[in-house]
Amino acid sequence: MRGACACAVVCALVAVCGALDADTRAAAERHLLALMGLDRRPSPRAAPRPPVPRAMRLLYEGAAAAHSLPRAAANTARSFTHQPSHLDHRFPNEHRFRLYFNLTAVPQDESARGADLVLQRASSDPLRSSSSQRLLLYDVVRPGRRGHSAPLLRLLDSVPLRDGEGPVTADAVGAARRWLAEPNQNHGLLVRVVEDAPTGADVRAPHVRVRRRAGEDERAWRADQPLLLLYTEDTRAREARERGDTPIARMRRAAQRRGHRAHHRRKEVRETCQRRPLFVDFADVGWSDWIVAPQGYDAFYCQGDCPFPLADHLNGTNHAIVQTLVNSVNPAAVPKACCVPTQLSSISMLYMDDVNNVVLKNYQDMAVVGCGCR
Ligand SMILES: *[C@@H]1O[C@H](CO)[C@@H](O)[C@H](O)[C@H]1NC(C)=O
Ligand SMILES: *[C@@H]1O[C@H](CO)[C@@H](O)[C@H](O)[C@H]1NC(C)=O
């Protein structure tokens, strides 16, 4: 059987795309979602879908080009915006504001590998003094009680603010780790902007935007609002990294097992093992409502014969050469070697979770680079 050697990923995708009965289709979809570390398809809240923050879009483009995220070991990036509440009125100024990011939608199996608070610069303001400023970022470990106790703050980062282009980033990983471990101990982050001088006085007109101004247009604010970028590693990625095991090794073993089971092979003139085109269109799979980008991707697949004697360009292992040799002498004893992916590359996907937070995931081994006989 030709299909016997094809890899499981591609089979699942093709199965979802193909005309199948509802049950088989649902099973194939579940299988594919599990592969992506999701227990069900996300159902983002009703349209209109909020725009993807610029920082996430840039991260996606960078990840798609580099096949990785800019944090060691992270395979996921999630973005969060401040959740407004009645507490916002206690912080009427631009130089001292509490930001609350609700991380409860982050799956339990993800651990934080990094967290950046990304702040946009305020447009030039004539009031701004020429002296430089400093941004102080605190984790609110315990909120203050009016007239009773001062808040307990832990300094997370201190970033000098100078005139310049581009957003300002502060490290918030200490707080993010704590919130993931104890969600009910999340009291937000406190952002302060002070003079970068021994006095450390509050500034009148800060360099960065932390809160929405009265009457500010919703769209304009959306582009300028602070963003928390959380980088995480999920269990699958961590286990694979710790084992030093790559999904390709698992796939190769699975393909070999399937190969051994495939006794009745069709006799036909076959093309030799090679990579063949396969474009997976997420619209065909019915996933275009939650996958923001890409719309689809070139997955490729491997198919073809592994004839005796095994040519060099078929990327065979010594074992495959021996197996092919034994097969040529006694086809009943062992099957031929299998045409399988020998080199794979990752893809990055941008999607919306159930609460409309934008998520970027890097999925290992999703596209075939090279095929071979194994
Ligand atoms: C955080 O979001 C969840 C839904 O994901 C919601 O149930 C919860 O009430 C939110 N927490 C706060 C403090 O707003
Ligand atoms: C063997 O592997 C190389 C590199 O991965 C690839 O360029 C080549 O196309 C592969 N051979 C076949 C038959 O796919």
Side-chain angles (χ1 to χ4, degrees):
M1 223 168 292
R2 270 194 171 207
C5 293
C7 81
V9 182
V10 172
C11 285
L13 286 167
V14 171
V16 174
C17 303
L20 291 170
D21 66 83
D23 284 355
T24 318
R25 211 184 148 90
E29 184 176 23
R30 268 201 310 279
H31 187 80
L32 197 51
L33 285 168
L35 204 90
M36 299 169 70
L38 297 167
D39 50 6
R40 62 195 166 78
R41 99 211 279 295
S43 44
R45 279 180 200 164
R49 192 154 75 186
V52 175
R54 191 176 137 74
M56 274 307 257
R57 176 77 56 189
L58 289 174
L59 205 55
Y60 166 71
E61 284 163 9
H67 294 294
S68 67
L69 289 173
R71 275 297 189 296
N75 73 325
T76 309
R78 296 175 179 272
S79 63
F80 301 88
T81 52
H82 167 63
Q83 186 177 303
S85 74
H86 64 280
L87 286 174
D88 293 359
H89 299 299
R90 292 202 201 161
F91 302 88
N93 300 309
E94 290 254 357
H95 63 263
R96 189 170 175 278
F97 194 69
R98 187 199 79 122
L99 293 166
Y100 178 80
F101 301 101
N102 188 341
L103 304 195
T104 56
V106 178
Q108 297 263 320
D109 75 314
E110 290 185 17
S111 36
R113 295 283 176 253
D116 289 340
L117 179 67
V118 182
L119 300 163
Q120 300 299 324
R121 286 174 195 273
S123 51
S124 266
D125 189 327
L127 273 179
R128 192 155 80 205
S129 64
S130 56
S131 70
S132 50
Q133 305 175 349
R134 183 168 284 275
L135 181 141
L136 301 174
L137 181 66
Y138 300 91
D139 179 7
V140 182
V141 178
R142 200 183 56 216
R145 281 170 55 223
R146 218 176 254 172
H148 290 277
S149 58
L152 180 60
L153 305 175
R154 191 163 62 94
L155 183 66
L156 295 170
D157 205 353
S158 165
V159 184
L161 299 179
R162 309 227 153 72
D163 282 324
E165 297 293 311
V168 173
T169 300
D171 187 355
V173 73
R177 285 222 175 91
R178 204 171 64 75
W179 302 336
L180 289 178
E182 313 167 283
N184 55 3
Q185 295 301 308
N186 178 353
H187 306 294
L189 296 172
L190 183 73
V191 179
R192 281 188 67 201
V193 184
V194 298
E195 296 292 350
D196 196 6
T199 55
D202 290 340
V203 296
R204 291 181 60 198
H207 274 66
V208 289
R209 298 296 317 277
V210 293
R211 77 193 306 280
R212 189 171 171 177
R213 290 177 182 140
E216 183 173 5
D217 176 56
E218 167 81 34
R219 278 185 52 145
W221 172 235
R222 225 183 251 155
D224 273 359
Q225 68 184 330
L227 199 66
L228 183 75
L229 286 182
L230 176 68
Y231 298 91
T232 61
E233 182 181 37
D234 56 28
T235 307
R236 291 168 65 91
R238 200 194 67 235
E239 285 175 356
R241 181 171 53 80
E242 286 172 354
R243 273 197 310 268
D245 186 16
T246 59
I248 185 162
R250 285 197 299 281
M251 229 154 53
R252 223 179 267 149
R253 288 195 295 272
Q256 235 138 29
R257 280 196 300 275
R258 276 195 302 277
H260 285 292
R261 282 200 298 268
H263 295 306
H264 307 290
R265 289 158 171 262
R266 247 185 294 168
K267 290 269 173 358
E268 59 182 277
V269 180
R270 293 169 162 198
E271 288 177 274
T272 53
C273 176
Q274 58 182 277
R275 189 177 79 156
R276 291 153 205 272
L278 169 66
F279 183 79
V280 175
D281 190 334
F282 292 129
D284 289 349
V285 193
W287 285 3
S288 46
D289 61 332
W290 61 277
I291 296 180
V292 179
Q295 282 156 9
Y297 81 104
D298 283 305
F300 301 102
Y301 70 104
C302 296
Q303 196 183 48
D305 194 22
C306 292
F308 173 79
L310 214 51
D312 279 352
H313 74 274
L314 292 178
N315 296 324
T317 51
N318 286 343
H319 178 269
I321 293 167
V322 172
Q323 187 177 328
T324 312
L325 176 69
V326 175
N327 170 271
S328 75
V329 177
N330 182 0
V334 288
K336 281 184 183 170
C338 266
C339 179
V340 295
T342 51
Q343 198 188 341
L344 294 160
S345 64
S346 60
I347 65 161
S348 296
M349 271 173 45
L350 207 50
Y351 66 87
M352 294 280 173
D353 69 7
D354 291 337
V355 285
N356 275 341
N357 288 319
V358 182
V359 183
L360 169 65
K361 275 235 186 209
N362 196 50
Y363 293 106
Q364 291 295 313
D365 299 345
M366 289 288 281
V368 178
V369 175
C371 302
C373 294
R374 296 293 160 96

